[in-house]
Amino acid sequence: MRMGGGIELVVIGADGGPDRAYGGSARAADGAGLLAEVLPGRCFDTGTRGCRVTLLPPDADANAMLTALRSAAQRPARWLVVCLLGQLVVDPRGRRLALVAGGSTSANAYRRGLAWDWVVSTMVHGEAEDTLLLVDTVADRETWAALERGGEDGAGELLAHSRVPLWGRVGRFTTGRRGRDAVLPGGEGSFAWALARVLENGVPGAAAAVGPAELQPALEAELGWAEPAPAVGARLFVPGQNGRLLMRNRAAVRGALAGLSLSEELLAVLWRESAPTDPPSA
């Protein structure tokens, strides 16, 4: 694996287990697998061969998650990209967040979960030149209220860190009948689902290399198609220029090839060369 110039990609889709209160994480593992498959081949600077993928099992505990993240952060790289999928929970004082881990109950979910500040601190103190935190998560009523509160009394300030740009979606999740109709992280209509579709199809008219800002309109169109009614309480995050991870625009590649006077055989060869062929590394 190329060191110092590639991408360390850590993908965590945490399944909270059978407790109904954490049913918002039921599809997180599906979305994590999808991102681990799609993202490496779309990274413009490196492609599949320059991207090391660490995909955590859905039942991993917080220690296993943090150990994998720290290992990736300690390796020199151009980018450290971390994907978190699942349900968020807040601590009893409403000031800190954690990603719910498998086997959690209402009594221990925060203590068992992967603390958000652990993730951010690990990314900040790692060896990568740049970082990006991609999230596809939901929050219950109490956690959402904590995110809405600003300042020292709320957890909302944790979502903004100058050295860890945030890209993704945080939605609301309620238990019971209404919760079954919610968009779940990793499921159809989720941010991970929409990102995979946009990267697969590309953005017509955009450059060959596109960052989050260029992809965001297409992403929001996909999210709107899957969820026609405005999502109550959903928040979208787009990183600024300091979070500009460039991705391959497949629509631009197709357009360039279509405009050339080349034989069909050569076009087929060029198309195969532009598509990823290697499976993600473990």
Side-chain angles (χ1 to χ4, degrees), residues 186-201:
E188 184 171 316
S190 69
F191 187 84
W193 173 88
L195 179 58
R197 286 171 64 93
V198 170
L199 292 178
E200 180 66 23
N201 297 323

PDB file of all heavy atoms in Angstrom, residues 186-201:
ATOM      1  N   GLY A 186     -28.080   4.542   5.899  1.00  0.00           N
ATOM      2  CA  GLY A 186     -27.713   3.392   5.095  1.00  0.00           C
ATOM      3  C   GLY A 186     -28.841   2.830   4.268  1.00  0.00           C
ATOM      4  O   GLY A 186     -28.609   2.066   3.330  1.00  0.00           O
ATOM      5  N   GLY A 187     -30.090   3.191   4.578  1.00  0.00           N
ATOM      6  CA  GLY A 187     -31.234   2.686   3.835  1.00  0.00           C
ATOM      7  C   GLY A 187     -31.574   3.573   2.644  1.00  0.00           C
ATOM      8  O   GLY A 187     -30.918   4.584   2.379  1.00  0.00           O
ATOM      9  N   GLU A 188     -32.628   3.201   1.925  1.00  0.00           N
ATOM     10  CA  GLU A 188     -33.050   3.999   0.773  1.00  0.00           C
ATOM     11  C   GLU A 188     -33.441   5.402   1.233  1.00  0.00           C
ATOM     12  O   GLU A 188     -34.175   5.572   2.199  1.00  0.00           O
ATOM     13  CB  GLU A 188     -34.228   3.336   0.077  1.00  0.00           C
ATOM     14  CG  GLU A 188     -34.660   4.062  -1.178  1.00  0.00           C
ATOM     15  CD  GLU A 188     -35.693   3.285  -1.972  1.00  0.00           C
ATOM     16  OE1 GLU A 188     -35.513   2.050  -2.123  1.00  0.00           O
ATOM     17  OE2 GLU A 188     -36.672   3.895  -2.422  1.00  0.00           O
ATOM     18  N   GLY A 189     -32.938   6.400   0.518  1.00  0.00           N
ATOM     19  CA  GLY A 189     -33.215   7.781   0.877  1.00  0.00           C
ATOM     20  C   GLY A 189     -32.212   8.395   1.823  1.00  0.00           C
ATOM     21  O   GLY A 189     -32.284   9.590   2.120  1.00  0.00           O
ATOM     22  N   SER A 190     -31.265   7.610   2.316  1.00  0.00           N
ATOM     23  CA  SER A 190     -30.270   8.122   3.260  1.00  0.00           C
ATOM     24  C   SER A 190     -29.151   8.850   2.525  1.00  0.00           C
ATOM     25  O   SER A 190     -29.030   8.799   1.299  1.00  0.00           O
ATOM     26  CB  SER A 190     -29.674   6.975   4.073  1.00  0.00           C
ATOM     27  OG  SER A 190     -28.871   6.138   3.242  1.00  0.00           O
ATOM     28  N   PHE A 191     -28.298   9.504   3.287  1.00  0.00           N
ATOM     29  CA  PHE A 191     -27.178  10.225   2.686  1.00  0.00           C
ATOM     30  C   PHE A 191     -26.205   9.263   2.004  1.00  0.00           C
ATOM     31  O   PHE A 191     -25.737   9.536   0.894  1.00  0.00           O
ATOM     32  CB  PHE A 191     -26.440  11.045   3.746  1.00  0.00           C
ATOM     33  CG  PHE A 191     -25.390  11.945   3.174  1.00  0.00           C
ATOM     34  CD1 PHE A 191     -25.721  13.197   2.667  1.00  0.00           C
ATOM     35  CD2 PHE A 191     -24.064  11.546   3.112  1.00  0.00           C
ATOM     36  CE1 PHE A 191     -24.751  14.023   2.121  1.00  0.00           C
ATOM     37  CE2 PHE A 191     -23.095  12.366   2.575  1.00  0.00           C
ATOM     38  CZ  PHE A 191     -23.440  13.611   2.072  1.00  0.00           C
ATOM     39  N   ALA A 192     -25.906   8.136   2.651  1.00  0.00           N
ATOM     40  CA  ALA A 192     -24.999   7.161   2.041  1.00  0.00           C
ATOM     41  C   ALA A 192     -25.572   6.627   0.739  1.00  0.00           C
ATOM     42  O   ALA A 192     -24.860   6.475  -0.259  1.00  0.00           O
ATOM     43  CB  ALA A 192     -24.730   6.015   3.015  1.00  0.00           C
ATOM     44  N   TRP A 193     -26.850   6.323   0.733  1.00  0.00           N
ATOM     45  CA  TRP A 193     -27.543   5.836  -0.465  1.00  0.00           C
ATOM     46  C   TRP A 193     -27.469   6.873  -1.583  1.00  0.00           C
ATOM     47  O   TRP A 193     -27.165   6.554  -2.735  1.00  0.00           O
ATOM     48  CB  TRP A 193     -28.982   5.523  -0.093  1.00  0.00           C
ATOM     49  CG  TRP A 193     -29.913   5.164  -1.202  1.00  0.00           C
ATOM     50  CD1 TRP A 193     -30.146   3.923  -1.716  1.00  0.00           C
ATOM     51  CD2 TRP A 193     -30.780   6.060  -1.917  1.00  0.00           C
ATOM     52  NE1 TRP A 193     -31.101   3.990  -2.706  1.00  0.00           N
ATOM     53  CE2 TRP A 193     -31.508   5.275  -2.843  1.00  0.00           C
ATOM     54  CE3 TRP A 193     -31.016   7.431  -1.848  1.00  0.00           C
ATOM     55  CZ2 TRP A 193     -32.439   5.842  -3.719  1.00  0.00           C
ATOM     56  CZ3 TRP A 193     -31.944   7.996  -2.711  1.00  0.00           C
ATOM     57  CH2 TRP A 193     -32.649   7.203  -3.626  1.00  0.00           C
ATOM     58  N   ALA A 194     -27.751   8.134  -1.248  1.00  0.00           N
ATOM     59  CA  ALA A 194     -27.732   9.196  -2.256  1.00  0.00           C
ATOM     60  C   ALA A 194     -26.324   9.434  -2.784  1.00  0.00           C
ATOM     61  O   ALA A 194     -26.120   9.628  -3.991  1.00  0.00           O
ATOM     62  CB  ALA A 194     -28.298  10.489  -1.657  1.00  0.00           C
ATOM     63  N   LEU A 195     -25.325   9.429  -1.910  1.00  0.00           N
ATOM     64  CA  LEU A 195     -23.949   9.659  -2.344  1.00  0.00           C
ATOM     65  C   LEU A 195     -23.484   8.561  -3.294  1.00  0.00           C
ATOM     66  O   LEU A 195     -22.838   8.844  -4.311  1.00  0.00           O
ATOM     67  CB  LEU A 195     -23.027   9.733  -1.122  1.00  0.00           C
ATOM     68  CG  LEU A 195     -21.538   9.952  -1.416  1.00  0.00           C
ATOM     69  CD1 LEU A 195     -21.316  11.229  -2.207  1.00  0.00           C
ATOM     70  CD2 LEU A 195     -20.736   9.987  -0.113  1.00  0.00           C
ATOM     71  N   ALA A 196     -23.814   7.318  -2.982  1.00  0.00           N
ATOM     72  CA  ALA A 196     -23.430   6.209  -3.864  1.00  0.00           C
ATOM     73  C   ALA A 196     -24.064   6.375  -5.242  1.00  0.00           C
ATOM     74  O   ALA A 196     -23.417   6.123  -6.268  1.00  0.00           O
ATOM     75  CB  ALA A 196     -23.834   4.877  -3.237  1.00  0.00           C
ATOM     76  N   ARG A 197     -25.318   6.784  -5.299  1.00  0.00           N
ATOM     77  CA  ARG A 197     -26.004   6.978  -6.579  1.00  0.00           C
ATOM     78  C   ARG A 197     -25.374   8.106  -7.383  1.00  0.00           C
ATOM     79  O   ARG A 197     -25.168   7.995  -8.599  1.00  0.00           O
ATOM     80  CB  ARG A 197     -27.489   7.256  -6.340  1.00  0.00           C
ATOM     81  CG  ARG A 197     -28.276   6.035  -5.924  1.00  0.00           C
ATOM     82  CD  ARG A 197     -29.682   6.398  -5.496  1.00  0.00           C
ATOM     83  NE  ARG A 197     -30.466   6.964  -6.580  1.00  0.00           N
ATOM     84  CZ  ARG A 197     -31.260   6.264  -7.391  1.00  0.00           C
ATOM     85  NH1 ARG A 197     -31.362   4.952  -7.227  1.00  0.00           N
ATOM     86  NH2 ARG A 197     -31.962   6.860  -8.336  1.00  0.00           N
ATOM     87  N   VAL A 198     -25.051   9.206  -6.712  1.00  0.00           N
ATOM     88  CA  VAL A 198     -24.462  10.349  -7.413  1.00  0.00           C
ATOM     89  C   VAL A 198     -23.067  10.008  -7.931  1.00  0.00           C
ATOM     90  O   VAL A 198     -22.713  10.348  -9.066  1.00  0.00           O
ATOM     91  CB  VAL A 198     -24.409  11.570  -6.478  1.00  0.00           C
ATOM     92  CG1 VAL A 198     -23.572  12.692  -7.098  1.00  0.00           C
ATOM     93  CG2 VAL A 198     -25.819  12.085  -6.192  1.00  0.00           C
ATOM     94  N   LEU A 199     -22.275   9.321  -7.130  1.00  0.00           N
ATOM     95  CA  LEU A 199     -20.932   8.959  -7.579  1.00  0.00           C
ATOM     96  C   LEU A 199     -20.974   7.942  -8.711  1.00  0.00           C
ATOM     97  O   LEU A 199     -20.115   7.943  -9.597  1.00  0.00           O
ATOM     98  CB  LEU A 199     -20.123   8.402  -6.410  1.00  0.00           C
ATOM     99  CG  LEU A 199     -19.756   9.402  -5.314  1.00  0.00           C
ATOM    100  CD1 LEU A 199     -18.994   8.707  -4.189  1.00  0.00           C
ATOM    101  CD2 LEU A 199     -18.928  10.556  -5.879  1.00  0.00           C
ATOM    102  N   GLU A 200     -21.958   7.067  -8.706  1.00  0.00           N
ATOM    103  CA  GLU A 200     -22.088   6.074  -9.767  1.00  0.00           C
ATOM    104  C   GLU A 200     -22.515   6.713 -11.083  1.00  0.00           C
ATOM    105  O   GLU A 200     -22.003   6.378 -12.156  1.00  0.00           O
ATOM    106  CB  GLU A 200     -23.100   5.008  -9.347  1.00  0.00           C
ATOM    107  CG  GLU A 200     -23.317   3.913 -10.378  1.00  0.00           C
ATOM    108  CD  GLU A 200     -22.081   3.055 -10.601  1.00  0.00           C
ATOM    109  OE1 GLU A 200     -21.221   2.998  -9.688  1.00  0.00           O
ATOM    110  OE2 GLU A 200     -21.971   2.442 -11.677  1.00  0.00           O
ATOM    111  N   ASN A 201     -23.439   7.670 -11.007  1.00  0.00           N
ATOM    112  CA  ASN A 201     -23.967   8.296 -12.228  1.00  0.00           C
ATOM    113  C   ASN A 201     -23.187   9.517 -12.667  1.00  0.00           C
ATOM    114  O   ASN A 201     -23.179   9.863 -13.850  1.00  0.00           O
ATOM    115  CB  ASN A 201     -25.436   8.686 -12.019  1.00  0.00           C
ATOM    116  CG  ASN A 201     -26.323   7.492 -11.757  1.00  0.00           C
ATOM    117  OD1 ASN A 201     -26.123   6.431 -12.339  1.00  0.00           O
ATOM    118  ND2 ASN A 201     -27.292   7.646 -10.867  1.00  0.00           N
TER     119      ASN A 201
END
